[in-house]
Amino acid sequence: MPNIKIFAGNSHPELAQRIAQRLGTEPSKVVLKKFANQETCVEIGESVRGEDVYILQSGTGCGEVNDHLMEMLIMIHACKIASAERVTAVIPCYPYARQDKKDKSRAPISAKLVANMLSVAGADHIITMDLHASQIQGFFDIPVDNLYAEPAVLKWIKENIENWRECVIVSPDAGGAKRVVSIADRLNVNFALIHKERAVANEVQRMTLVGDVDNRTAIIVDDLADTCGTVVKAAEKLKEAGAKAVYAVMTHGVFSGPALERVMGSCIEAIVVSNTIPQHEKIAVCPKIQAIDVSSIIGEAIRRTHNGESVSYLFGNVPL
């Protein structure tokens, strides 16, 4: 495509390659390295003057969130001061998205801080996927396109789950109810909700199931699989309530800490995540993990943005 440059950070070069391939181009040249004192060094390898620049960097996973964030900020700044016409940050998984509100005294709203940093670095537009809270879009004064993995999730359910018309879509917490209701409505099936109480962060104390899953396939849907404590306990609760089989579908598969061991030892048949974060190494260790490719959705969003077309079609459809 003319006048378009796609730069990939170190977080997910494979996804950038797939997106560039879909757009009929190659990722542009950039050298990313570290000095001896661990400062990030970015060298843009080709002219970006007057170009429409897209910088792809997934913001979480792999244990290098801060390095990847800093790398992206420096790349945006480098392109902006090299006279790029427009710089779009493509962030499949937004970093610090769970720190989106002041839920206790003296707590930071880190998602807002990241938004400020991206704007100050020079980003003109943000493309992301399944924000933890869609209100994060309001932290920006620049356009934000929050894409949804939902169409790809619906496609996977219809293609891979037998008798999907008899399944129940389950939210592992009250916060994900809206997402679950939307998927259940589009499949025309029932939904259930699990209420959880936490004593400390990342540790669930008690769970209560609201809804009927007896003798049905239960599909747990959420936006993020991190330590997987919640999803594994939710699966156990569903099995106790008589579920025939339990699947989990998450947009972002972080799988930190003991997550892989928990998934392998759980009653979950398969945990399905998108490739917003690299999954090859995790799939090799834990065969229960399956990955959905969302490069077509992100690639089509870039093409439509570049051509000045609407992206709302992507909210309900998977592009061919």
Side-chain angles (χ1 to χ4, degrees):
M1 294 176 79
N3 288 42
I4 190 169
K5 300 277 184 189
I6 295 170
F7 290 99
N10 278 325
S11 68
H12 206 340
E14 187 210 343
L15 182 63
Q17 183 68 50
R18 283 174 180 245
I19 290 168
Q21 205 172 342
R22 180 176 175 83
L23 296 170
T25 182
E26 284 290 318
S28 301
K29 292 177 189 144
V30 60
V31 176
L32 302 163
K33 57 188 179 185
K34 285 195 173 177
F35 293 119
N37 66 352
Q38 296 304 299
E39 283 182 3
T40 300
C41 172
V42 172
E43 292 171 12
I44 305 294
E46 51 193 85
S47 172
V48 294
R49 187 177 294 275
E51 302 278 17
D52 192 10
V53 173
Y54 294 84
I55 295 169
L56 186 132
Q57 184 83 299
S58 210
T60 191
C62 313
E64 297 174 349
V65 182
N66 298 328
D67 279 351
H68 291 157
L69 176 59
M70 199 65 209
E71 198 176 88
M72 176 169 56
L73 295 170
I74 296 170
M75 287 169 80
I76 291 168
H77 174 69
C79 290
K80 199 68 185 171
I81 63 171
S83 302
E85 180 72 24
R86 176 174 64 177
V87 179
T88 300
V90 182
I91 314 168
C93 186
Y94 189 86
Y96 293 91
R98 282 176 287 181
Q99 298 182 45
D100 60 347
K101 58 187 174 291
K102 194 165 181 178
D103 52 0
K104 54 183 180 283
S105 298
R106 297 173 296 283
I109 307 176
S110 306
K112 166 65 174 163
L113 175 62
V114 171
N116 289 348
M117 289 161 75
L118 287 163
S119 298
V120 169
D124 299 299
H125 178 211
I126 307 290
I127 295 175
T128 185
M129 181 168 267
D130 271 347
L131 286 169
H132 184 65
S134 52
Q135 297 93 311
I136 290 172
Q137 292 170 89
F139 293 167
F140 291 89
D141 292 320
I142 56 175
V144 179
D145 285 318
N146 181 28
L147 305 172
Y148 299 110
E150 184 181 297
V153 167
L154 293 168
K155 188 166 177 269
W156 186 90
I157 290 171
K158 288 175 180 175
E159 289 174 359
N160 293 275
I161 294 183
E162 288 180 46
N163 301 328
W164 59 266
R165 288 180 176 84
E166 303 297 317
C167 73
V168 179
I169 309 296
V170 183
S171 174
D173 55 30
K178 197 173 174 185
R179 183 183 296 108
V180 161
V181 169
S182 172
I183 289 174
D185 283 351
R186 290 187 63 182
L187 290 172
N188 197 23
V189 298
N190 290 337
F191 70 91
L193 180 72
I194 289 174
H195 174 66
K196 65 184 179 187
E197 290 172 14
R198 277 197 172 104
V200 293
N202 281 5
E203 231 173 89
V204 179
Q205 197 174 26
R206 196 162 63 88
M207 287 187 154
T208 311
L209 175 66
V210 182
D212 179 27
V213 294
D214 190 31
N215 204 30
R216 295 184 182 184
T217 299
I219 303 169
I220 301 167
V221 176
D222 206 357
D223 67 318
L224 198 79
D226 189 0
T227 56
C228 290
T230 301
V231 72
V232 166
K233 281 191 176 165
E236 287 166 8
K237 191 80 186 170
L238 292 166
K239 274 288 190 184
E240 282 169 26
K244 208 161 43 174
V246 180
Y247 293 85
V249 182
M250 315 279 173
T251 305
H252 309 295
V254 179
F255 299 117
S256 56
L260 299 179
E261 290 81 11
R262 282 175 177 170
V263 171
M264 280 305 288
S266 73
C267 59
I268 297 170
E269 304 285 327
I271 185 159
V272 183
V273 295
S274 74
N275 63 341
T276 53
I277 297 168
Q279 300 296 343
H280 287 310
E281 290 176 15
K282 294 159 192 168
I283 290 170
V285 175
C286 178
K288 282 190 179 183
I289 298 171
Q290 296 181 30
I292 300 173
D293 183 23
V294 291
S295 63
S296 62
I297 297 173
I298 297 170
E300 183 64 11
I302 290 172
R303 188 194 69 77
R304 286 169 178 258
T305 301
H306 177 66
N307 293 336
E309 299 171 24
S310 167
V311 298
S312 56
Y313 170 82
L314 300 173
F315 298 157
N317 301 277
V318 179
L320 299 170

